[in-house]
Amino acid sequence: MNKPANHRPAPRQIEVEEFFADPAFANPSISPDGTRIAYLAPAHGRRNVWVRGIDEEHAAAVCVTHDARRGITTYYWPDDSRWLLYLQDTDGNEDWHLYRVDLEAPDQGAIDLTPMPPGSRVFGADPLPSHPGSMLVAMNKRPLAIDLFRIDVATGETTLHHEQVDPTESVLLDLGGEPAFSSRLAEDGTLELSAIDRVSGERRLLRRLGGAEYPVGVQPQLVTPDGAGLLIGAYTDSDDLRLLRLDRETGAETLVAAVEGHSLDILGTMAPGVLPPTVFTSRRTGEVIAARFVDDKPRIEVLDEHFAKVYAELSALSDGVLGTLSSDESEQRWIATFVHDRDPAVTWLYDHPTRESRVLFRPYPHLDPTGLATMNPVRFAARDRLPLHGFLTLPTGIAHEGLPLVLLVHGGPWQHDTWGFNPQAQFLANRGYAVLQVNFRGSTGYGKRHTTAAIGEFARAMQTDLIDAADWAVAHGYADPARIGIMGGSYGGYAALVGTALAPGYFAAAVDYVGVSDLANFLRTLPPFTRPYNVNSWYAYVGNPDDPTAEADMRSRSPIAMIDQITTPLLVAQGANDARVVQAESDNIVAPLRERGVPVEYLLATDEGHGFDNAENQIRLHRAIERHFAQHLGTSRQR
């Protein structure tokens, strides 16, 4: 491959705070009546929700939430624009509650609409058109069952709407709030999709889908507005994940959206309303109007004639890719953000009748895009010839030869890195490091064969894919083989630990951020309600710790069993309230390594969970990362 051009001058050293403080603006959306805009902005030292008139500036906005303990990420407009709802947990424990604020009296404080004991949480909330003024909320008031409740937003009155009788089944409702389809996980991992009879409630099987190729479930699953169809992301007879429609009466399968050689991008289903969505839906009709696919840059396929005209106008606003999108109920006014590697989430207001548009805000107004590094899509092959895709971010203003390299490993592992603004990659590139992200086998987004190639390959081929990626960077002259670091969170932290053990001397430094050290203990300490969903992910790919043979194999692939092989200087970061990777996963690695004299710095945040959210903790973490890599990898940039 040709090396990316590097004609731009060296940028200033950008302060850690500029990358990792809360953005000045984030997550914008428009009210149903089109008169107001909501968004996140700093207040009380945290991200809070602000609301302003559609034609007003931020100076006229009102901060309607008052959280001084933890930033807000997810909020909702219900059908009545008087109210605004948001989710909040306690210090990262993921016990989410749904709160309401009155926009006519924002100083009155928030009301918890979902008081529940510890261990229970809200999983999501949506307006329920059949019951104006209500939200349909999924939560596990019964610890092992995720039931659907109807909550009157104004009064807080809560009514059980649908009880989950079978813990392996999820029921999907139509717009009338009635059961329409069932998604059931069979014991062998097969996913059974059924239509639910409108009168009798009986299930009629429509389709069985294989299991392990859907490690995070069939995503998305959307009932069509007329209740007559189910939209799903499925492979069926293709290696590509496509958007299909199943007919409720006949079971007939219709192709809705597909791109040859590319898969539907399901990352957005993991954080609805925050990440760019897998599918865009019309606020006016409820129909799907566009779908997102994985490519070197995300690819949008438009599916609706009316939206095609809107999309053409929006696309002219940015050389990035459409990110999040909201409109009023009439679909006259739209608010759009754009995915971009150097100018992220610029937010535009577009008025369709007049075709007028204007920038509302930039999340990072202090960052000059010309001083940031370009994220370059790259491709290479693993040692067994499996095609791998990744992204290489190189520092600006210096020669792209013999650089210290940081291998940045994504979590999941059933996620994927994608083109766009990555503050960690930009921060490291600004400090003079090459940053390589690789979608190793097991990553989603690159087809069924690519994902399932990871079955049984934890600490094996999944790990050698990372080595092969770094070797590629060395072979092409980008990286100095004596100065390679590895860093990642969650699964990425596990990969960093395993990498230091299985390839002694290959990595000069490593960062383990909320990473797994003992696979069996990790699975045993996950929240109990997650266990039915492990059959196609952890159990299929790694093993069930209740099986003694599988447990022994899992231990052999756990960093805790390889600890005597680890000599690489290590930085470990952990949230004390992590509900996914509990604190013991880090404690049990740090203590014995220190006893052996291995250099280990340990950052434990008592007010964080699975990843650091509060800005001061992000800043503390990345200052430590900066010191760690500077000490053990050096830097290519002289200051």
Side-chain angles (χ1 to χ4, degrees):
M1 108 173 216
N2 293 326
K3 291 190 177 182
N6 186 32
H7 305 304
R8 287 182 287 159
R12 66 182 176 91
Q13 179 166 309
I14 301 170
E15 296 301 321
V16 175
E17 290 85 350
E18 295 182 64
F19 284 116
F20 298 104
D22 286 330
F25 306 98
N27 295 24
S29 66
I30 193 168
S31 63
D33 61 11
T35 64
R36 286 181 282 189
I37 301 168
Y39 52 93
L40 303 178
H44 314 294
R46 294 287 180 258
R47 292 186 312 276
N48 275 279
V49 184
W50 294 67
V51 174
R52 76 193 203 208
I54 192 80
D55 295 318
E56 294 178 334
E57 299 298 323
H58 181 62
V62 176
C63 182
V64 301
T65 62
H66 309 280
D67 203 315
R69 182 167 177 169
R70 191 166 185 81
I72 294 168
T73 298
T74 302
Y75 69 89
Y76 308 91
W77 285 106
D79 55 10
D80 183 346
S81 298
R82 171 181 173 175
W83 312 104
L84 191 133
L85 310 174
Y86 68 94
L87 294 180
Q88 188 56 285
D89 70 348
T90 301
D91 293 339
N93 66 0
E94 299 190 50
D95 283 354
W96 303 103
H97 287 221
L98 184 68
Y99 292 85
R100 183 202 72 200
V101 292
D102 184 349
L103 300 188
E104 294 181 1
D107 292 332
Q108 285 185 357
I111 303 297
D112 185 355
L113 297 177
T114 55
M116 292 179 288
S120 295
R121 66 180 66 172
V122 169
F123 293 85
D126 293 288
L128 189 58
S130 60
H131 294 75
S134 292
M135 294 288 284
L136 188 67
V137 179
M139 51 184 166
N140 63 328
K141 283 189 171 184
R142 300 180 296 147
L144 298 180
I146 303 171
D147 299 315
L148 299 177
F149 294 86
R150 192 171 65 251
I151 299 179
D152 185 288
V153 174
T155 67
E157 181 181 358
T158 300
T159 306
L160 178 63
H161 188 83
H162 182 83
E163 185 176 44
Q164 180 172 292
V165 178
D166 180 353
T168 66
E169 181 186 52
S170 296
V171 170
L172 298 127
L173 309 181
D174 59 23
L175 291 182
E178 298 298 321
F181 292 91
S182 159
S183 174
R184 182 180 174 275
L185 193 59
E187 228 176 278
D188 65 354
T190 302
L191 295 149
E192 299 175 347
L193 300 173
S194 299
I196 299 178
D197 188 270
R198 289 178 170 85
V199 178
S200 68
E202 291 182 358
R203 274 67 169 158
R204 187 178 71 260
L205 183 66
L206 299 178
R207 189 75 80 257
R208 286 190 176 92
L209 299 175
E213 59 262 46
Y214 301 100
V216 294
V218 172
Q219 303 288 352
Q221 295 184 40
L222 299 170
V223 180
T224 58
D226 59 8
L230 178 66
L231 300 180
I232 59 172
Y235 296 106
T236 56
D237 59 350
S238 173
D239 187 56
D240 304 323
L241 193 69
R242 305 177 298 171
L243 187 64
L244 307 174
R245 179 188 183 276
L246 299 181
D247 188 87
R248 186 172 180 178
E249 298 302 323
T250 67
E253 180 181 296
T254 306
L255 183 64
V256 177
V259 178
E260 183 68 28
H262 299 274
S263 284
L264 198 64
D265 186 345
I266 63 171
L267 280 183
T269 63
M270 299 178 186
V274 178
L275 295 177
T278 298
V279 295
F280 298 92
T281 56
S282 165
R283 196 169 199 168
R284 178 173 51 88
T285 68
E287 298 284 357
V288 170
I289 55 177
R292 184 182 309 271
F293 286 82
V294 175
D295 206 336
D296 287 347
K297 292 183 179 180
R299 177 169 174 169
I300 307 296
E301 292 294 304
V302 176
L303 307 175
D304 176 83
E305 184 177 347
H306 168 72
F307 181 65
K309 299 173 184 176
V310 174
Y311 180 72
E313 298 290 336
L314 293 176
S315 297
L317 301 177
S318 171
D319 61 350
V321 180
L322 184 62
T324 60
L325 184 67
S326 72
S327 77
D328 59 10
E329 289 178 327
S330 68
E331 295 190 346
Q332 301 303 300
R333 287 173 161 173
W334 300 77
I335 290 180
T337 69
F338 290 87
V339 175
H340 198 287
D341 60 342
R342 293 176 294 109
D343 197 9
V346 176
T347 299
W348 289 78
L349 173 66
Y350 167 66
D351 186 284
H352 190 53
T354 65
R355 297 176 66 184
E356 294 179 351
S357 59
R358 60 186 173 91
V359 172
L360 290 178
F361 40 69
R362 281 182 159 80
Y364 306 96
H366 49 281
L367 292 179
D368 178 1
T370 63
L372 297 178
T374 300
M375 178 180 275
N376 303 288
V378 294
R379 303 180 185 189
F380 38 84
R383 62 191 65 184
D384 63 357
R385 310 311 302 165
L386 180 76
L388 299 175
H389 296 73
F391 298 91
L392 180 64
T393 303
L394 297 168
T396 60
I398 58 176
H400 292 162
E401 297 176 354
L403 299 170
L405 172 75
V406 176
L407 195 60
L408 186 57
V409 187
H410 71 69
W414 303 285
Q415 297 180 21
H416 62 271
D417 285 315
T418 184
W419 181 86
F421 181 73
N422 184 306
Q424 288 185 323
Q426 290 291 345
F427 169 63
L428 291 168
N430 183 258
R431 296 306 190 261
Y433 300 99
V435 183
L436 181 59
Q437 299 163 269
V438 57
N439 287 310
F440 49 86
R441 69 192 68 207
S443 303
T444 57
Y446 292 92
K448 176 170 57 178
R449 288 191 295 270
H450 186 84
T451 299
T452 56
I455 293 173
E457 296 299 334
F458 271 60
R460 294 173 184 161
M462 293 171 75
Q463 203 67 32
T464 57
D465 285 350
L466 302 176
I467 299 292
D468 293 344
D471 284 349
W472 170 88
V474 170
H476 282 74
Y478 296 114
D480 178 351
R483 296 190 293 164
I484 299 176
I486 185 169
M487 166 177 160
S490 197
Y491 172 84
Y494 164 86
L497 292 172
V498 170
T500 62
L502 294 184
Y506 190 90
F507 296 107
V511 177
D512 160 28
Y513 180 33
V514 298
V516 175
S517 65
D518 184 334
L519 289 166
N521 183 68
F522 158 70
L523 284 173
R524 289 194 174 108
T525 53
L526 285 172
F529 60 80
T530 66
R531 287 171 192 161
Y533 307 102
N534 289 336
V535 62
N536 288 329
S537 53
W538 294 102
Y539 296 169
Y541 283 74
V542 184
N544 187 336
D546 292 338
D547 176 343
T549 302
E551 181 185 19
D553 181 59
M554 293 166 74
R555 184 165 181 81
S556 73
R557 295 195 241 178
S558 296
I560 200 72
M562 310 172 186
I563 203 155
D564 290 342
Q565 300 163 239
I566 298 176
T567 58
T568 303
L570 190 64
L571 170 63
V572 177
Q574 176 70 44
N577 307 306
D578 196 333
R580 306 187 196 195
V581 178
V582 297
Q583 182 182 329
E585 292 292 314
S586 291
D587 290 350
N588 293 342
I589 276 286
V590 169
L593 285 177
R594 283 178 168 172
E595 287 173 7
R596 286 183 41 233
V598 176
V600 181
E601 182 178 359
Y602 188 19
L603 300 181
L604 179 65
T606 58
D607 57 347
E608 297 286 4
H610 195 57
F612 294 180
D613 187 73
N614 291 333
E616 66 270 19
N617 291 325
Q618 277 286 326
I619 291 166
R620 181 166 68 108
L621 169 63
H622 286 89
R623 282 178 176 157
I625 290 170
E626 180 177 23
R627 292 192 305 269
H628 185 68
F629 284 144
Q631 179 180 353
H632 300 292
L633 301 184
T635 177
S636 58
R637 202 184 286 287
Q638 301 299 318
R639 299 292 178 185

